[in-house]
């Protein structure tokens, strides 16, 4: 009887300790979110200012693309160290291949991205926000004796950076929980991720960082014919996401093989990209692609070749070594395809653009819940069933793998978890 009482007492103490730990992690997410949100807010405001300054002056700034790239390579070569790995370093820490993210990666990544955007590189910005969050939050794990502290605080920082920049806290939470290992959610980081996401979002809102939101004007009745159309669109968007991931992976390899010297790589490709970007509508495909997103939802002109050229320039810029990210170009590619396909499928153009916005993201990153909530938080929760369906089809259609080279995929077979990559 005494042994049984001791057993129950021990289990009770373990339960209480577990609850205290979860409360502590949840509270710890708040200052992490505020700190990361402040850094992400400054980065986002600076990027918006640079984009506004570059708008209309591409013909004067694009000729400096190669020079800007050479500056980036020089600074990273001189001061970067392992920071040169960029987003791959975050994944390496998450997978236990590295044990730290140097804090100097924050100013390096911000400065390199600002230079890239100023000179017109066709890159995004979310990668830097995620890097900022991971670099700020992860060092806390070394001060705490908590199981899986490294992975928990890494994810918490990533979530805060994503949420602060995009203003989509729920999407950010699921992005952090599922991006390191597709098909598996890291529930241990959920509570601090939740508090950090909302704290970061509140911080950047207070700072006045603009975020994209669009209320879809036309409702679509969910029926079997409509569901079939959405599923077919999911196949198309999944193919485009697969194509983007394939091009990113293999273009990196080809470019690295042809130009092993990073200076020659970014210098020669920078000159080539300058000429091509100036020829193609005087910089229409420079920057994040927000111009294509605006055109897709606000009645602008979208050409059938826009998504192809945007993908081409984004892949080349990222492969050359310019800093930023892939998601904003992916959003613009998906929206510009969707707005063209909507009328073909008998669906409202803006509605199909929203489907493309989310589904290409799902396919290219091999994440599912995050794209669904991106759609809900940007376009309205009434459309969640449509985003769920199109993202499900798109997610499973990409057999090539994600844009993140070190992301792992898991499946459960015979009660055990097996890596697919």
């Amino acid at each position: 009887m005494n042994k049984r009482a001791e057993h129950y007492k021990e289990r009770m103490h373990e339960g209480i300790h577990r609850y205290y730990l979860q409360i502590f992690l949840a509270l710890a997410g708040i200052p992490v979110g505020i700190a990361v949100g402040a850094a992400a807010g400054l980065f986002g405001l600076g990027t918006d200012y640079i984009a506004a300054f570059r708008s209309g002056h591409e013909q004067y700034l694009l000729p400096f693309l190669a020079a800007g790239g050479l500056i980036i390579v020089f600074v990273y070569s001189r001061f970067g160290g392992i920071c040169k790995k960029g987003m791959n370093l975050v994944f390496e820490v998450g997978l236990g291949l590295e044990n730290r993210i140097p804090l100097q990666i924050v100013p390096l990544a911000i400065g390199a991205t600002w230079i890239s955007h100023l000179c017109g590189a066709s890159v995004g910005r979310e990668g830097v926000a995620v890097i900022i969050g991971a670099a700020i939050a992860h060092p806390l794990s070394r001060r705490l004796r908590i199981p899986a502290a490294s992975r928990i605080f890494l994810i918490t920082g990533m979530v805060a950076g994503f949420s602060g920049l995009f203003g989509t806290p729920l999407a950010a939470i699921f992005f952090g929980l599922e991006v390191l290992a597709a098909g598996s959610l890291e529930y241990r980081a959920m509570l601090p991720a939740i508090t950090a996401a909302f704290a970061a979002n509140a911080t950047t809102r207070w700072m006045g960082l603009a975020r994209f939101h669009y209320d879809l004007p036309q409702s679509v009745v969910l029926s079997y014919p409509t569901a079939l159309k959405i599923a077919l669109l999911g196949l198309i968007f999944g193919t485009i996401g697969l194509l983007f991931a394939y091009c990113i992976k293999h273009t990196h390899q080809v470019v690295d093989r042809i130009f092993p010297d990073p200076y020659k790589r970014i210098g020669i490709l920078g000159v080539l990209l300058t000429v091509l970007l100036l020829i193609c509508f005087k910089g229409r495909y420079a920057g994040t692609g927000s111009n294509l997103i605006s055109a897709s939802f606000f009645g602008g002109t979208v050409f059938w070749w826009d998504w192809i050229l945007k993908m081409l320039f984004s892949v080349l810029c990222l492969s050359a070594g310019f800093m930023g990210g892939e998601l904003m170009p992916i959003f613009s590619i998906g929206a510009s395809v969707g707005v063209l396909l909507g009328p073909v499928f008998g669906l409202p153009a803006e509605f199909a653009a929203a489907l493309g916005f989310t589904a290409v993201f799902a396919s290219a990153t091999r994440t599912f819940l995050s794209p669904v909530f991106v759609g809900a938080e940007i376009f309205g929760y009434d459309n969640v069933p449509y985003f769920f369906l199109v993202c499900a089809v798109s997610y499973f259609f990409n057999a090539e793998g994600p844009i993140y080279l070190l992301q792992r995929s898991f499946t459960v077979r015979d009660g055990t978890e097996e890596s697919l990559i």
Side-chain angles (χ1 to χ4, degrees), residues 339-358:
V339 76
L340 298 174
L341 291 179
V344 176
F345 281 79
L347 297 171
E350 296 89 349
F351 175 76
L355 294 179
F357 189 100
T358 59

Side-chain angles (χ1 to χ4, degrees), residues 9 11 19 64 105 123 130 140 146 152 160 209 235 245 257 275 277 282 302 309 326 341 353 366 386 392 409:
K9 184 177 180 181
R11 289 187 61 184
Y19 285 124
F64 293 96
I105 198 173
V123 294
V130 170
L140 295 175
I146 296 174
I152 288 172
L209 181 64
L235 289 176
R257 186 169 62 249
V275 174
L277 284 167
K282 295 182 179 180
V302 178
L309 292 181
E326 298 91 351
L341 291 179
R366 290 287 290 166
Y386 312 116
S409 294

Side-chain angles (χ1 to χ4, degrees), residues 113-263:
T113 303
W114 282 350
I115 292 172
S116 298
H117 281 275
L118 179 64
C119 299
S122 181
V123 294
R125 56 182 185 170
E126 85 297 327
V128 178
V130 170
I131 290 171
I132 289 171
I136 292 175
H138 186 258
L140 295 175
S141 65
R142 296 199 297 270
R143 301 176 180 274
L144 300 171
R145 294 184 178 180
I146 296 174
S150 174
R151 197 173 177 94
I152 288 172
F153 279 94
L154 180 78
I155 291 172
T156 300
M158 294 170 67
V159 167
F162 190 110
S163 175
L165 188 67
F166 284 110
T168 54
L170 293 179
I173 292 165
F174 285 107
F175 180 80
L177 295 182
E178 63 182 330
V179 73
L180 292 178
S184 175
L185 291 176
E186 186 59 83
Y187 286 114
R188 291 175 296 183
M190 179 174 285
L191 283 180
I194 290 171
T195 54
F198 284 98
N201 182 49
T203 301
T204 53
R205 280 186 179 274
W206 176 80
M207 295 174 70
L209 181 64
R211 60 273 325 273
F212 177 67
H213 181 81
Y214 183 82
D215 291 316
L216 291 175
Q218 295 174 284
S219 61
V220 175
V221 177
L222 185 59
S223 61
Y224 287 112
T226 301
L228 178 60
K229 293 177 182 178
I230 292 173
L232 291 174
L233 282 172
L235 289 176
I236 296 172
F237 296 140
T239 304
I240 293 172
L242 181 153
L243 180 62
F244 190 92
Y246 179 88
C247 290
I248 281 284
K249 181 185 300 183
H250 294 281
T251 304
H252 264 295
Q253 296 172 353
V254 171
V255 167
D256 289 351
R257 186 169 62 249
I258 296 174
F259 304 109
D261 185 338
Y263 288 98

